[in-house]
């Protein structure tokens, strides 16, 4: 890859610097130029997409100046580069965010208007890159924003899925999945780097022989070689004059590999090979799918990890020939276990390909790698069937065995005779089928292991990784998640952002602890009414979109009670439903009941193979159908399922919420980040002591947070003592009424069987204790209703929530990673 052509310009470090104008006139000219030269269109014939593309190219051009300067850092030996390995990056639309972060919004808007268009229309044209499932992928995207904003040299490495997370349609109340063809109109934000490409081997077997010097040499003879090509996307930091790099790998066929097949006339076979090679990065796997062991998914993980590490080694070798110093060039963060093959792959590259001794390679591998855990759910902990692993990665299995042999030696030295502990800590699970345990591999191969909220890290140390914690407590630390206030306030809630900035200045955007200054305005009636006006405008905008997408009319004056997130039993959308059913019955029983009007809004995707989650969506829609058409509750209750919840829709939904539902079973939600987005936009939270809710409550004050339910200790104790959900059903008349209504067929046109699996699950299993928390949740919701009647007081609480949410900026999280894990200095902020 080091085939730079020497020219007069390339010998100057700064090179060519055609800094482009960012005023309205320059933008206008640039858009027209791109329409002409890039899109090959006449203005009179241009479609909205042509204009969107032309504008995006004009914006991208202006980001490249900073980008090329930023890329220069990678060669600077003094700067350690953060490498964030993640199988998912859920970026959301680029255009608006880039305009905000680069400060070009006004110029772009004016230029677009001078061409007779509106910026809003063009923003709507963008197909969002949905390269993630939910919180984990979105967290990675927030972290890229903060890394660039804080001017930390960094690269995000991931997979360029041709199809991202599926689009969700609702048909007859059921979720229907359709392919996300996000690239169909072209992607103006990426740059294909054909020259940055690596070969990745798969399958086959290994052979040992002695080389001329009598040393043991290992050869991996694969059955397949695939090429990974880099696609780069610039990530603008907020007014930092730094553009970060997201490098995603696309799989392709190696041109020469099956040349023989062509010669032998096996043309079709060769073409098949090409199809197989390209299939590696075809599609993002929805998570929560039952049944591990999808070969293609393991191939994806290995593919992107191998390309990324080869790329890092190339960059390192530009700085120094000594791979023992690799940890001075890169700090590698593994976002969950999906990239944990990096441990074995870095060992392979160092030992087999670059000739380092095992001990030296292990030392540098460990001090480079760090692992973030995002879940305690046992079914979400990755493990690969040994045979499948062996078939795809025969050499890596040998390396895993060797790591394991040495590691278990250490364990048995530390805990002589403790066989049970050895079995638990082994990288190989041997009880009932053999598996490679990826969390153990990641833990052993890392110098740092972190959870994503205080409670989660504590539970991690007590449960899933307890043995590892006991053996190496110093490796463990917590970094509570955060979200970027750029996308999640400035971009998505411009009204609120303006009001805040007018009151306390603009510093909060990069120094969100400054939001505290809002506290003094919480007693200012005119400020409060402006605050309320902003919220109401956001609610009206959401109401209009709800009408357009679902045909349901909702009242913007009502309490907007919102739960948007992936559909999962542990997140307990069904508990929310039980509350709705109870209110419904109360109003039917007593039309005079003092219940302020509420609009319940749900959104979220269910994994295509997760039957119960899909049934919950159907039930939400079925309840909506009955409630929304019942004249006895008209004007009092509405239920909406907002289809296809994604980043774009989130930007509309979070700012419009009065109440944020964060009601997971305590101990199950590692952190949550939607909880932060809501609160940062002035919603009050009803929630359990779970994940980051605990810390949000601490920050905003318990009087400004609606707490209910069992805590994690109580959950464990109840489970241990034997939990019988049926008792709660027997003893609570209103709960019984709600469940009986579902099982009677009231919501399924008399079909009593439809929701039977869900009802049975609740009555006889209820793994996530919805029935145990029902009464507490209901009582808490009554406190919500009472509070919402005092609108002024509600607004005060809303202001205080925003004022005290500074901790949850992803900038703070990234600073903590820098200090505790990456050992990367924080540079002073860029003077704007
Ligand atoms: C999610 C967690 O479920 C969520 O609680 C957390 O906020 C988010 O990651 C970011 O840390 N897949 N998604 C997650 O974990 C896994 C595994």
């Amino acid at each position: 890859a080091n085939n730079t052509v020497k020219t007069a310009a390339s010998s100057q470090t700064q090179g060519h610097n055609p800094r482009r104008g960012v005023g309205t006139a320059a933008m206008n000219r640039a858009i027209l130029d791109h329409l002409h030269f890039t899109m090959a269109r006449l203005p009179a014939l241009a479609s909205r997409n042509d204009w969107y593309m032309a504008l995006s190219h004009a914006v991208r051009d202006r980001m490249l100046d900073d980008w090329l300067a930023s890329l220069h850092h990678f060669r600077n030996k003094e700067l350690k580069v953060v490498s964030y390995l993640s199988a998912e990056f859920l970026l959301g639309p680029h255009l608006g965010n880039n305009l905000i972060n680069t400060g070009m919004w006004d110029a772009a808007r004016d230029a677009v208007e001078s061409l007779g268009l509106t910026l809003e229309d063009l923003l709507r044209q963008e197909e969002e890159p949905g390269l993630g499932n939910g919180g984990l992928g979105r967290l990675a995207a927030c972290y890229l924003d903060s890394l660039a904003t804080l001017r930390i040299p960094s690269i995000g490495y991931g997979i360029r899925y041709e199809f991202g997370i599926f689009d969700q349609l609702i048909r007859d109340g059921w979720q229907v999945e359709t392919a996300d063809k996000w690239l169909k109109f072209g992607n103006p934000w990426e740059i294909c780097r054909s020259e940055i490409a690596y070969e990745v081997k798969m399958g086959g077997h290994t052979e040992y022989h002695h080389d001329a010097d009598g040393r043991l040499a290992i050869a991996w003879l694969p059955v397949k070689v695939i090429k990974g090509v880099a696609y780069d996307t610039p990530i603008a930091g907020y007014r930092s004059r730094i553009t970060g790099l997201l490098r995603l790998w696309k799989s392709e066929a190696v041109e020469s590999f099956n040349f023989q097949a062509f010669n032998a006339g096996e043309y079709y076979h060769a073409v098949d090979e090409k199809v197989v090679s390209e299939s590696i990065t075809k599609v993002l796997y929805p998570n929560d799918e039952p049944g591990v062991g999808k070969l293609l998914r393991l191939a994806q993980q290995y593919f992107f990890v191998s390309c990324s590490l080869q790329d890092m080694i190339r960059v390192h070798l530009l700085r120094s020939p000594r791979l023992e110093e690799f940890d001075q060039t890169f700090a590698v963060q593994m976002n969950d276990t999906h990239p944990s093959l990096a441990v074995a792959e870095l060992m392979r590259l160092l030992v087999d390909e670059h000739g380092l001794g095992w001990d030296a390679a292990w030392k540098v591998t460990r001090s480079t790698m760090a692992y973030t855990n995002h879940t305690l759910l046992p079914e979400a902990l990755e493990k690969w069937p040994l045979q499948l692993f062996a078939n795809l990665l025969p050499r890596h299995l040998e390396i895993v065995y060797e790591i394991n042999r040495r590691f278990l030696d250490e364990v048995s030295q530390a805990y002589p005779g403790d066989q049970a502990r050895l079995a638990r800590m082994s990288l190989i699970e041997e009880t009932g089928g053999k598996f490679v345990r990826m969390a153990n591999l990641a833990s052993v191969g890392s110098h740092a292991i972190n959870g994503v909220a205080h409670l989660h890290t504590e539970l991690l140390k007590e449960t899933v990784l307890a043995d590892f914690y006991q053996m190496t407590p110093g490796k463990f630390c917590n970094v509570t998640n955060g979200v970027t206030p750029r996308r999640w306030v400035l971009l998505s809630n411009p009204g609120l952002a303006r009001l805040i900035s007018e009151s306390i200045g603009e510093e909060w955007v990069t120094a969100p602890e400054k939001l505290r200054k809002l506290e003094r305005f919480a007693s200012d009636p005119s400020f409060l009414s402006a605050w309320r006006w902003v919220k109401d405008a956001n609610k009206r905008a959401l109401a209009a979109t709800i009408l357009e997408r679902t045909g349901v009319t909702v009242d913007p004056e009502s309490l907007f009670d919102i739960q948007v997130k992936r559909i999962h039993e542990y997140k307990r959308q069904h508990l929310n439903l039980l509350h709705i059913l109870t209110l419904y019955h109360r109003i039917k029983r007593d039309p005079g009941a003092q219940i302020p009007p509420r609009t319940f809004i749900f959104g979220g995707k269910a994994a295509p193979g997760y039957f119960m989650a899909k049934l919950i969506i159907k039930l939400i829609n079925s309840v909506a159908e009955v409630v929304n058409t019942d004249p006895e509750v008209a004007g009092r209750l509405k239920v909406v399922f907002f289809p296809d919840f994604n980043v774009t829709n989130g930007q509309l939904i979070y700012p419009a919420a009065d109440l944020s539902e964060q009601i997971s079973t305590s101990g199950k939600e590692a952190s949550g980040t939607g909880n932060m987005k809501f609160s940062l936009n002035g919603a009050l939270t009803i929630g359990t002591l779970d994940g980051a809710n605990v810390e949000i409550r601490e920050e905003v004050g318990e009087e400004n947070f609606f707490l209910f339910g069992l805590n994690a200790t109580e959950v464990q104790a109840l489970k241990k003592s034997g939990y019988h959900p049926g008792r709660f059903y027997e003893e609570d008349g209103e709960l019984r009424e709600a469940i009986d209504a579902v099982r009677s067929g009231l919501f399924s046109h008399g079909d009593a069987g439809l929701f039977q699996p869900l009802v049975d699950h609740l009555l006889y299993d209820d793994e996530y204790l919805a029935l145990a928390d029902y009464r507490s949740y209901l009582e808490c919701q009554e406190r919500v209703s009472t509070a919402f009647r005092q609108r002024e007081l509600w607004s005060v609480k809303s202001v205080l929530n925003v004022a005290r949410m500074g901790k949850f900026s992803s900038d703070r999280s990234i600073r903590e990673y820098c200090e505790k894990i990456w050992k990367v200095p924080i540079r002073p902020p860029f003077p704007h």
Side-chain angles (χ1 to χ4, degrees):
N2 202 0
N3 51 3
T4 328
V5 181
K6 284 275 171 228
T7 65
S10 68
S11 61
Q12 302 162 17
T13 39
Q14 290 309 307
H16 176 54
N17 189 356
R19 183 161 283 288
R20 279 148 222 263
V22 292
T24 305
M27 284 299 279
N28 174 299
R29 184 74 255 149
I31 295 168
L32 288 170
D33 277 355
H34 274 296
L35 193 70
H36 189 96
F37 295 113
T38 309
M39 305 311 295
R41 279 283 189 196
L42 290 173
L45 298 178
S47 67
R48 191 194 294 168
N49 191 61
D50 292 325
W51 287 111
Y52 159 74
M53 294 289 279
L55 170 61
S56 298
H57 277 285
V59 172
R60 193 188 81 179
D61 286 347
R62 282 151 183 77
M63 292 168 65
L64 291 185
D65 299 330
D66 289 341
W67 197 24
L68 293 173
S70 310
L71 288 179
H72 219 73
H73 288 317
F74 295 145
R75 291 199 175 221
N76 179 345
K77 282 189 191 173
E78 306 305 312
L79 295 176
K80 201 194 254 190
V81 178
V82 172
S83 164
Y84 199 83
L85 291 189
S86 179
E88 306 188 4
F89 286 93
L90 189 46
L91 298 165
H94 290 281
L95 177 57
N97 201 247
N98 287 336
L99 289 175
I100 293 265
N101 281 13
T102 57
M104 294 194 282
W105 183 284
D106 290 352
R109 182 200 51 215
D110 295 348
V112 164
E113 282 174 7
S114 73
L115 293 163
L117 305 149
T118 72
L119 182 54
E120 224 171 63
D121 269 352
L122 299 194
L123 288 169
R124 254 202 301 272
Q125 186 61 30
E126 183 169 350
E127 189 77 54
E128 79 170 66
L131 309 186
N133 271 286
L136 172 142
R138 183 53 232 175
L139 184 76
C142 282
Y143 284 179
L144 293 182
D145 179 282
S146 287
L147 283 161
T149 298
L150 294 170
R151 301 194 302 141
I152 295 159
S154 60
I155 311 183
Y157 280 114
I159 301 172
R160 182 181 178 277
Y161 300 107
E162 188 178 331
F163 299 101
I165 187 71
F166 62 85
D167 293 335
Q168 179 192 57
L169 303 175
I170 302 297
R171 290 273 174 271
D172 187 29
W174 294 97
Q175 166 176 299
V176 174
E177 302 91 22
T178 64
D180 163 45
K181 301 190 192 123
W182 69 290
L183 291 167
K184 72 179 169 230
F185 294 126
N187 174 5
W189 303 104
E190 68 183 8
I191 295 168
C192 173
R193 303 271 194 203
S194 315
E195 78 288 3
I196 301 183
Y198 301 95
E199 293 194 345
V200 178
K201 299 187 246 184
M202 288 181 186
H205 65 280
T206 57
E207 279 179 9
Y208 291 76
H209 56 87
H210 291 277
D211 65 14
D213 306 328
R215 287 200 317 198
L216 189 63
I218 301 146
W220 173 14
L221 304 168
V223 291
K224 204 182 330 217
V225 178
I226 289 160
K227 187 169 81 169
V229 180
Y231 280 71
D232 287 354
T233 300
I235 305 290
Y238 181 73
R239 315 282 156 95
S240 66
R241 296 290 304 277
I242 283 281
T243 304
L245 167 59
L246 174 61
R247 179 160 287 172
L248 302 179
W249 302 102
K250 173 178 192 281
S251 64
E252 288 186 2
V254 177
E255 294 84 358
S256 58
F257 189 65
N258 232 335
F259 207 61
Q260 271 185 337
F262 277 89
N263 289 345
E266 287 187 51
Y267 174 72
Y268 290 103
H269 179 71
V271 174
D272 281 351
E273 277 291 325
K274 183 169 152 58
V275 172
V276 171
S277 300
E278 288 178 357
S279 73
I280 302 276
T281 56
K282 260 286 162 230
V283 61
L284 166 76
Y285 277 96
N287 60 7
D288 311 324
E289 284 285 351
V292 287
K294 297 205 180 65
L295 178 65
L296 192 60
R297 170 129 170 120
L298 184 62
Q300 282 184 340
Q301 295 183 352
Y302 176 58
F303 167 79
F304 101 89
V305 155
S306 179
C307 291
S308 308
L309 283 168
Q310 292 185 62
D311 196 43
M312 286 180 246
I313 288 180
R314 174 185 63 86
V315 170
H316 173 81
L317 292 175
L318 293 173
R319 293 180 171 196
S320 154
R322 290 181 45 78
L323 280 166
E324 292 85 348
E325 294 164 5
F326 186 67
D327 58 341
Q328 292 167 36
T329 303
F330 284 105
V332 175
Q333 193 66 32
M334 295 185 283
N335 197 24
D336 213 77
T337 53
H338 319 142
S340 59
L341 278 167
V343 172
E345 174 68 355
L346 184 54
M347 286 300 288
R348 188 190 70 81
L349 289 167
L350 294 175
V351 174
D352 294 1
E353 311 244 327
H354 293 274
L356 258 67
W358 182 278
D359 291 328
W362 185 238
K363 184 163 176 268
V364 73
T365 295
R366 259 194 177 190
S367 68
T368 305
M369 298 288 171
Y371 158 50
T372 305
N373 172 288
H374 295 265
T375 185
L376 302 168
L377 297 185
E379 66 272 25
L381 289 177
E382 279 193 304
K383 50 182 193 177
W384 290 103
L386 194 92
Q387 201 48 54
L388 186 141
F389 194 103
N391 292 344
L392 188 76
L393 302 167
R395 177 60 186 141
H396 295 78
L397 186 60
E398 294 175 350
I399 291 171
V400 167
Y401 280 150
E402 182 60 16
I403 294 173
N404 201 32
R405 187 184 68 74
R406 290 165 179 250
F407 172 62
L408 292 182
D409 273 355
E410 289 173 29
V411 177
S412 48
Q413 267 172 36
Y415 305 93
D418 193 344
Q419 289 303 318
R421 187 182 294 264
L422 277 179
R424 291 193 305 267
M425 296 184 81
S426 173
L427 304 193
I428 309 296
E429 180 175 312
E430 310 206 39
T431 47
K434 291 193 174 188
F435 296 92
V436 183
R437 293 166 166 159
M438 305 312 273
N440 294 26
L441 176 62
S443 299
V444 174
S446 295
H447 69 280
I449 303 168
N450 75 287
V452 290
H454 177 76
L455 173 67
H456 168 63
T457 302
E458 289 308 305
L459 293 172
L460 198 59
K461 296 195 289 197
E462 282 166 27
T463 60
V464 175
L465 297 180
D467 295 316
F468 292 88
Y469 176 64
Q470 286 157 25
M471 192 163 149
T472 49
K475 274 193 185 185
F476 283 74
C477 67
N478 173 247
V479 183
T480 298
N481 285 167
V483 300
T484 169
R486 273 74 66 180
R487 181 178 293 275
W488 295 113
V489 185
L490 263 193
L491 175 63
S492 55
N493 200 345
L496 191 75
R498 209 173 306 121
L499 178 57
I500 295 173
S501 295
E502 281 165 10
S503 315
I504 63 167
E506 285 175 19
E507 287 164 302
W508 62 273
V509 178
T510 47
E513 64 282 0
K514 296 263 166 35
L515 286 170
R516 290 251 172 204
K517 292 191 196 167
L518 283 175
E519 286 193 23
R520 348 187 238 114
F521 292 88
S523 52
D524 170 347
S526 72
F527 180 82
L528 289 175
S529 81
W531 190 265
R532 168 110 185 253
W533 193 89
V534 168
K535 181 62 82 183
D536 287 347
N538 293 339
K539 288 168 75 174
R540 284 194 299 274
L542 178 58
T545 307
I546 287 174
L547 179 60
E548 180 192 310
R549 306 262 169 98
T550 68
V552 178
T553 304
V554 302
D555 174 10
E557 298 280 313
S558 63
L559 190 166
F560 276 21
D561 176 337
I562 309 191
Q563 186 172 22
V564 285
K565 49 180 80 244
R566 287 297 286 252
I567 312 295
H568 200 294
E569 287 159 279
Y570 84 78
K571 296 177 188 280
R572 301 200 293 192
Q573 281 89 358
H574 50 309
L575 178 58
N576 189 337
L577 272 171
L578 289 174
H579 172 234
I580 298 173
L581 293 175
T582 302
L583 289 188
Y584 179 65
H585 288 129
R586 282 184 189 171
I587 296 174
K588 300 271 286 185
R589 232 185 350 258
D590 172 14
Q594 287 290 307
I595 298 171
R598 283 210 203 201
T599 300
F600 295 91
I601 300 165
F602 293 84
K605 294 174 185 177
Y610 187 173
F611 168 73
M612 207 55 85
K614 292 180 125 176
L615 196 57
I616 289 173
I617 293 179
K618 173 66 176 169
L619 181 56
I620 295 169
N621 282 306
S622 303
V623 169
E625 193 186 322
V626 171
V627 170
N628 297 349
T629 53
D630 186 335
E632 290 181 65
V633 299
R636 309 188 62 177
L637 297 181
K638 277 281 167 75
V639 180
V640 171
F641 189 90
F642 193 109
D644 203 34
F645 180 63
N646 56 13
V647 176
T648 309
N649 292 328
Q651 289 175 195
L652 180 71
I653 293 172
Y654 295 115
D658 294 306
L659 186 67
S660 154
E661 296 273 353
Q662 306 301 334
I663 61 176
S664 52
T665 315
S666 183
K668 299 295 176 189
E669 187 71 272
S671 164
T673 45
N675 47 4
M676 302 169 188
K677 294 163 199 168
F678 275 114
S679 184
L680 201 54
N681 281 282
L684 306 194
T685 303
I686 181 165
T688 48
L689 282 179
D690 198 17
N693 295 354
V694 179
E695 291 157 77
I696 292 176
R697 179 166 171 268
E698 256 164 40
E699 292 293 307
V700 304
E702 50 188 71
E703 67 287 5
N704 302 310
F705 186 106
F706 297 98
L707 177 70
F708 76 96
L710 302 170
N711 65 27
T713 317
E714 292 162 345
V715 165
Q716 280 165 7
L718 179 56
K719 288 223 153 180
K720 215 165 149 203
S721 70
Y723 171 55
H724 301 289
R727 280 197 205 140
F728 290 89
Y729 170 84
E730 297 298 339
E731 286 164 16
D732 193 318
E734 282 194 309
L735 174 58
R736 206 161 54 240
E737 188 182 28
I739 292 182
D740 286 348
V742 176
R743 75 160 24 145
S744 72
L746 175 64
F747 304 108
S748 37
H749 303 279
D751 175 0
L754 182 60
F755 297 115
Q756 197 62 41
L758 187 56
V759 170
D760 285 348
H761 221 61
L762 280 179
L763 290 181
Y764 305 115
D765 183 17
D766 191 21
E767 192 185 345
Y768 298 108
L769 309 186
L771 303 201
D773 274 345
Y774 166 83
R775 186 45 59 186
S776 165
Y777 180 55
L778 251 90
E779 285 167 5
C780 192
Q781 287 284 19
E782 282 172 38
R783 281 183 271 135
V784 171
S785 291
T786 309
F788 194 68
R789 275 201 221 98
Q790 297 163 278
R791 295 302 273 273
E792 177 108 347
L793 209 62
W794 184 278
S795 294
V796 171
K797 289 176 187 294
S798 167
V799 173
L800 292 178
N801 261 262
V802 176
R804 299 172 180 176
M805 281 297 290
K807 169 174 173 187
F808 302 96
S809 161
S810 44
D811 295 353
R812 188 269 311 146
S813 311
I814 287 298
R815 285 198 185 92
E816 283 188 31
Y817 276 98
C818 284
E819 263 170 51
K820 299 184 190 170
I821 299 177
W822 302 331
K823 310 293 174 206
V824 166
I826 309 280
R827 295 193 286 161
F830 192 80
H832 9 87

